[in-house]
């Protein structure tokens, strides 16, 4: 099994929080409010969901089963014919499964991946176009794993037809992709939809899709389902417009808004890719997300998963658990998941206390916000060697605290024990706008070369919690750097 699975001994290596100081912001057991400012009942529903809680994604994994191959619309950013084991983006999958195969896979994976908490259906087409396949999958899994959280993702066109079925099952988390509320904008994103036994194009297609999305969202929210809205940010097409989208979905009860950057490459064969439509850069994405702050809660840690993704959000192990590598008749062993959850509960409380104590003084610092990158294998700790990192988690530190605001991807620097200079150049490019990286360890040569590029790497906080390390560094080291 790949390193994506957090070894239990990677948790609990840091000295624990020195003092109490549990705050409503930072502790899951606070009085009237739970962690993250959420009401306790809502926190219970999101605290193990790696997409609905940024905090949960340090500990818990999701798996997607690709049981929904067909789609009822065409988006200009999608081409599902592209099939690559190394590609991580929506619509890509290495295997398509029947509901029976999917259930077998889930049972096998749940025995091997103790972090597993959520089962999702996210394509590779639309989860509700042929909804019976999606529902049969969930029904089969529910018989064996009643404690898994169920989640699905849809373009929303068929959603109004299935609201009651979703609510009647225990599917408590639904994502609807909403890229526009103005059909004029929609007509630039969707060439056609298939609805009511016929194909629609142009403004009519966009108008129908918009009306169905809003109806589905509103009715799901009224039934208590936690609805997340994903929006693809397409510069020059809907970037400014997403402010309006955020307002519409707030008024209709959305729980989360997840703005993701358009992935566009001519090699993917999508309409946008072939036309040269570019995606936003990290600064543009952050700029829009900052504009949306104050509306619907924002998700900023999305990894734009494959339709067969398995594991923690930052590290996909789907290639280790394809059907051919799993037993024909798996028997579910609940013990590893139960043991892992017990460890996480203890670890979480300790981390919350430590983070609350460490960040308490930040408001007085008066220092400008800083963006830093962190190498981590999970658990909310700085616990990965720089050379092994294939993604860097980006945190913003300022007087309001320490917050994860995104991630940057690049191939890992170390290959079989040796560093790769070309890859280091790519890493430096991926870290644009970031001048400090926290890693568990880094070799002398890459540290020197990064310093030449203006990027400092700090490895003195190895295995500490991210929040305590960054708060300590922000308050202590930054003034010295400013006066140097
Ligand atoms: Fe999957 Fe989506 Fe459910 Fe998560 S993914 S169906 S809500 S379990 Fe998560 Fe992946 Fe982003 Fe989706 S990181 S693409 S938001
Ligand atoms: Fe592709 Fe999803 Fe759009 Fe369908 S709704 S075309 S599967 S991105």
């Amino acid at each position: 099994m790949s390193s994506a699975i957090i070894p239990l001994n990677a948790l609990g290596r840091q000295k624990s929080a020195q003092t109490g100081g549990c705050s409503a912001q930072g502790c899951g057991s606070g009085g009237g409010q739970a962690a993250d400012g959420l009401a306790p009942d809502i926190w219970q529903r999101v605290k193990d969901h790696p997409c609905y809680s940024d905090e949960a994604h340090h500990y818990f994994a999701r798996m997607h089963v690709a049981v929904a191959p067909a789609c009822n619309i065409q988006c200009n950013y999608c081409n599902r014919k592209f099939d690559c084991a190394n590609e991580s983006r929506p619509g890509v999958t290495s295997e398509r499964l029947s509901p029976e195969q999917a259930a077998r896979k889930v049972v096998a994976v749940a025995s091997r991946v103790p972090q597993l908490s959520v089962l999702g259906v996210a394509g590779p087409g639309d989860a509700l176009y042929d909804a019976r396949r999606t529902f049969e999958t969930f029904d089969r899994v529910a018989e064996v794993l009643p404690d898994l959280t169920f989640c699905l993702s849809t373009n929303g066109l068929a959603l109004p037809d299935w609201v009651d079925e979703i609510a009647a099952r225990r599917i408590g988390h639904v994502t609807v992709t909403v890229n526009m509320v103005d059909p004029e904008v929609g007509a630039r994103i969707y060439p056609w939809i298939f609805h009511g036994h016929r194909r629609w194009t142009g403004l009519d297609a966009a108008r129908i899709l918009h009306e169905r999305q809003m109806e589905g969202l509103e009715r799901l929210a009224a039934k208590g389902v936690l609805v997340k809205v994903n929006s693809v940010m397409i510069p020059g097409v809907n970037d400014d417009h997403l402010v309006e989208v955020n307002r519409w979905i707030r008024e209709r009860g959305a729980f989360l808004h997840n703005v993701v950057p358009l992935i566009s490459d001519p090699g993917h064969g999508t309409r946008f890719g072939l036309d040269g439509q570019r995606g936003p850069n990290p600064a543009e994405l952050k700029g829009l997300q900052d504009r949306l702050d104050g509306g619907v809660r924002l998700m900023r840690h999305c990894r734009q998963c494959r339709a067969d993704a398995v594991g923690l959000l930052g590290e996909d192990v789907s290639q280790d658990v394809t059907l051919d590598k799993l037993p024909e008749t798996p028997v579910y062993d609940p013990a590893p998941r139960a043991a892992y959850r017990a460890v996480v509960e203890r670890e979480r409380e300790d981390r919350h206390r430590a983070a609350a104590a460490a960040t308490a003084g930040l408001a007085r610092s008066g220092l400008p916000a800083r963006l830093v990158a962190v190498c981590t294998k999970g658990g909310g700790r700085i616990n990965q060697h720089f050379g092994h990192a294939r993604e860097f988690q980006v945190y913003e530190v300022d007087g309001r605290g320490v917050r994860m605001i995104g991630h940057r991807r690049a191939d890992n620097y170390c290959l079989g024990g040796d560093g790769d200079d070309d890859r280091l150049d790519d890493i430096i490019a991926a870290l644009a706008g970031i001048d400090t990286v926290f890693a568990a360890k880094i070799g002398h040569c890459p540290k020197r070369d990064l310093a030449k590029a203006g990027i400092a790497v700090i490895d003195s906080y190895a295995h500490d919690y991210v929040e305590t390390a960054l708060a300590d560094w922000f308050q202590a080291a930054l003034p010295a750097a400013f006066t140097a």
Side-chain angles (χ1 to χ4, degrees), residues 49 51 64 118 151 175 228 258 299 302-305 313:
H49 195 309
C51 304
H64 289 164
V118 176
C151 192
T175 294
K228 173 164 71 62
N258 174 29
M299 174 187 186
C302 178
R303 304 304 203 282
Q304 295 175 278
C305 312
L313 295 194

Side-chain angles (χ1 to χ4, degrees), residues 70-75 77-80 90-91 123-126 154-155 190:
C71 190
N72 45 2
I73 72 174
Q74 180 61 56
C75 305
Y77 49 77
C78 178
N79 175 13
R80 295 188 305 288
D126 185 71
T154 176
N155 61 46
Y190 307 103

